[in-house]
Amino acid sequence: MSEAEAGGGSGSGAAGGKEQDRFLPIANIGRIMRRAVPENGKIAKDAKDCIQECVSEFISFITSEASDKCMKERRKTINGDDIIWSLGTLGFEEYVEALKIYLKNYREGDTKGSKSSDQNGKKQILLNGEPASSFDGM
Amino acid sequence: MRQARPYSGIFCGGVSARTGPHALPLARIKKIMKRSAGETADGGARMISGEAPVVFSKACELFVAELTRRAWAATLEGKRRTVHREDVATAVHNTDLFDFLVDVVNADTAGGDDTHDVDDVGDGALG
């Protein structure tokens, strides 16, 4: 009974056409919902559908605000800070701190790249207790 | 019960904060953003940086979790164990922060999306 989870929604199975593009995949949303209720709780499909719609509205709501901000400041590109600012402005202050940290980590990860070349152990892949770069092969 | 599995397009090329697992697909988030992103002063499409969908992927997680928790509270009040659409609607009506969702949750019950006949915002709406 799995919903259309066509490869994480990277466009490989746009069978629903434009309709699917308006919403985030229901399976992903359902997973987040399930984590938010106790183990004995259940989620009906109509609740998932409803929240799926709410999330798209949430994205639109925040994005409009961010877009207005960019327009006032004569900038062409909406960035992560604009989203965080908009969330704070529209009442979602509780999300702001966590998202600032999340964005900071994302930006730091971006400059260092996925092959972690720094040796301070932050994102090193260790194999048998040794850094992967010194892995000699089996 | 389904098992969690990696999302294609996320795990290509190692796990880092940049390509690391996001719970929601970034491309889809970006598509939805584009619908509301409007235009720039010179009439071009507003651009969206790569990090904006990343922030949203987390923000939407927080949002879904909060809305679900509040809906669950409504479920419990009804002495049930299954969250239904009506519980989500109750949560929306009871929370000022979610005022922007009122039309979304009402749309289904009235069969259209410009229903204006819901005037009683509820007892605890101003709480």
Side-chain angles (χ1 to χ4, degrees):
Chain A
M1 225 201 320
S2 57
E3 301 290 343
E5 195 177 348
S10 46
S12 54
K18 302 245 167 53
E19 181 66 23
Q20 291 300 324
D21 287 353
R22 288 174 50 212
F23 302 125
L24 297 180
I26 198 153
N28 302 47
I29 290 176
R31 201 168 294 128
I32 301 169
M33 290 178 75
R34 235 175 291 133
R35 286 202 301 252
V37 301
E39 281 210 25
N40 63 339
K42 293 179 170 37
I43 318 262
K45 173 147 192 319
D46 64 353
K48 288 189 216 175
D49 288 341
C50 183
I51 291 203
Q52 189 187 34
E53 293 165 40
C54 290
V55 173
S56 292
E57 191 67 23
F58 172 71
I59 294 173
S60 299
F61 184 51
I62 303 297
T63 302
S64 294
E65 189 72 15
S67 180
D68 286 349
K69 179 178 201 281
C70 288
M71 186 150 58
K72 285 182 189 128
E73 297 175 5
R74 299 184 192 280
R75 284 184 290 111
K76 287 193 173 172
T77 307
I78 301 175
N79 62 32
D81 291 314
D82 296 325
I83 302 302
I84 294 177
W85 179 88
S86 304
L87 285 162
T89 301
L90 293 171
F92 293 92
E93 302 95 356
E94 289 184 3
Y95 299 2
V96 167
E97 281 316 308
L99 291 173
K100 278 184 180 166
I101 294 170
Y102 191 77
L103 181 56
K104 178 170 176 290
N105 288 342
Y106 167 77
R107 283 171 172 166
E108 286 174 1
D110 195 25
T111 51
K112 287 183 181 151
S114 52
K115 299 183 205 178
S116 55
S117 51
D118 66 317
Q119 296 294 316
N120 69 3
K122 251 212 256 180
K123 274 197 268 300
Q124 273 214 319
I125 299 170
L126 295 178
L127 296 171
N128 300 323
E130 292 185 349
S133 50
S134 63
F135 181 59
D136 224 3
M138 294 174 72
Chain B
M1 192 122 163
R2 277 174 299 178
Q3 307 221 334
R5 53 189 165 97
Y7 303 94
S8 67
I10 298 289
F11 277 136
C12 49
V15 177
S16 71
R18 187 152 83 98
T19 59
H22 301 121
L24 298 163
L26 301 181
R28 189 77 66 86
I29 290 175
K30 189 164 179 177
K31 273 195 187 132
I32 299 171
M33 287 179 72
K34 278 194 161 309
R35 293 166 70 98
S36 327
E39 287 182 349
T40 56
D42 56 3
R46 184 155 316 277
M47 298 182 65
I48 297 171
S49 86
E51 60 184 26
V54 170
V55 173
F56 257 128
S57 81
K58 194 66 181 169
C60 289
E61 259 190 81
L62 298 173
F63 172 74
V64 169
E66 178 171 6
L67 185 49
T68 303
R69 274 195 302 270
R70 288 176 184 269
W72 172 250
T75 306
L76 288 180
E77 258 189 80
K79 302 208 192 323
R80 289 173 282 108
R81 286 282 183 270
T82 304
V83 181
H84 282 282
R85 190 177 189 114
E86 66 195 37
D87 301 314
V88 180
T90 301
V92 164
H93 288 132
N94 286 347
T95 313
D96 285 346
L97 180 59
F98 296 148
D99 271 354
F100 68 99
L101 294 171
V102 165
D103 286 342
V104 173
V105 299
N106 288 340
D108 183 56
T109 53
D113 63 353
D114 64 348
T115 155
H116 291 295
D117 58 358
V118 178
D119 229 340
D120 58 319
V121 189
D123 296 328
L126 298 179

